[in-house]
Amino acid sequence: MGYYRRLRDLREDHDLTQRQLAAMLGLTQPQYFRYEQGYRDLPTDILIRLADLYKTSTDYILERTDDPRDVR
């Protein structure tokens, strides 16, 4: 499983649509869709903002740990 699957799971766990999340990040929905589908690499600044938004670590998003509470 790629990290993009975890992006979708986190978004759905927070009851957000792609459009809502994209707006929060200052992106368009198609831009965010490409990250979530694995069509584009996730930029570091967006990765950090997502980790902050979800109150988790970048390592969790990137599947380097399976503990979402592992905030460093």
Side-chain angles (χ1 to χ4, degrees):
M1 169 169 43
Y3 71 84
Y4 48 88
R5 170 67 185 187
R6 190 157 279 176
L7 289 177
R8 186 179 88 186
D9 290 343
L10 282 165
R11 178 180 55 77
E12 290 176 349
D13 288 347
H14 286 79
D15 298 320
L16 295 168
T17 65
Q18 286 184 350
R19 187 172 307 280
Q20 290 169 322
L21 185 55
M24 294 169 79
L25 296 171
L27 305 170
T28 65
Q29 184 274 328
Q31 283 176 302
Y32 182 77
F33 169 82
R34 289 182 190 100
Y35 300 140
E36 198 171 282
Q37 294 299 310
Y39 298 147
R40 302 274 309 195
D41 286 335
L42 190 61
T44 304
D45 62 321
I46 300 296
L47 173 63
I48 292 168
R49 290 173 64 195
L50 287 169
D52 289 345
L53 174 76
Y54 295 136
K55 297 182 178 20
T56 191
S57 68
T58 56
D59 282 348
Y60 178 74
I61 293 173
L62 296 174
E63 298 186 320
R64 293 176 47 118
T65 182
D66 287 326
D67 184 357
R69 298 173 311 251
D70 185 21
V71 179
R72 298 172 195 220

